[in-house]
Amino acid sequence: MLGAMTSTLTRRAWLGLAALGAAVAAWRPRPARAQGYLANLAPEEPIAATLKRLFGSRPIKDGASVIKLDLPLIAENGAVVPVAVEVTSPQTPQSYVKSIYVIADKNRRPLNAKFNLTPATGLAYVGTNLRLGESTDVRAVAEMSDGTLLAAKREVKVTVGGCGG
């Protein structure tokens, strides 16, 4: 029966099947693309407008005693500035760090990162890399589960800007 089927396929059908097979063999899945544009991440605005947009009129208290902000004093390349933020507060269901914001005052888009946490995280610690266009203050703002805002900041001197602007 197989011989009967192969004899009925024309040369054109065989070439079509060969082309289809080659196309399937050459197909590779592409990596996922980001769902948005840089302009959608945060508006270009001064630091005062960013703080008002994020926190409204809520007071931001000095949290230097509970927030450890670890980043270099001098960044030789503003394109990659490592930062780590640790809030020494217990992560209990009654009181925990709800969010940590990393804000660079002089960037065109001051909000660099926002991390949402739950009591299940166990430790309020986050780390990332920043892009800094120039020397600036970098702030870490911790939003507690009761709405309290705590902040710590540190100046970073940038020798080569990393934002391309």
Side-chain angles (χ1 to χ4, degrees):
M1 176 150 185
L2 183 60
M5 287 176 56
T6 58
S7 64
T8 60
L9 288 176
T10 64
R11 180 174 180 217
R12 184 172 295 193
W14 276 109
L15 288 175
L17 286 174
L20 179 63
V24 168
W27 179 79
R28 301 251 192 289
R30 289 188 281 171
R33 295 185 184 188
Q35 296 293 316
Y37 300 98
L38 183 60
N40 294 338
L41 295 178
E44 291 186 17
E45 61 189 4
I47 183 63
T50 298
L51 294 175
K52 180 143 182 77
R53 180 175 52 82
L54 294 173
F55 309 118
S57 60
R58 292 188 288 168
I60 301 175
K61 299 177 183 177
D62 180 17
S65 62
V66 294
I67 298 174
K68 180 182 175 194
L69 184 57
D70 186 18
L71 70 160
L73 291 172
I74 299 173
E76 293 184 19
N77 181 357
V80 182
V81 181
V83 61
V85 180
E86 181 179 2
V87 183
T88 55
S89 172
Q91 293 288 89
T92 67
Q94 296 77 26
S95 176
Y96 62 94
V97 179
K98 181 179 171 184
S99 299
I100 296 176
Y101 299 81
V102 179
I103 301 168
D105 288 11
K106 292 185 183 176
N107 274 8
R108 292 186 301 184
R109 291 181 172 89
L111 177 61
N112 287 88
K114 177 186 176 190
F115 301 92
N116 294 318
L117 307 172
T118 68
T121 58
L123 181 65
Y125 177 87
V126 296
T128 189
N129 287 323
L130 306 179
R131 292 187 84 154
L132 301 177
E134 60 184 288
S135 297
T136 184
D137 284 334
V138 173
R139 302 169 191 245
V141 179
E143 181 177 11
M144 305 302 289
S145 58
D146 66 359
T148 303
L149 298 171
L150 304 172
K153 72 179 178 179
R154 185 164 171 194
E155 183 181 19
V156 177
K157 300 225 184 271
V158 177
T159 57
V160 177
C163 288

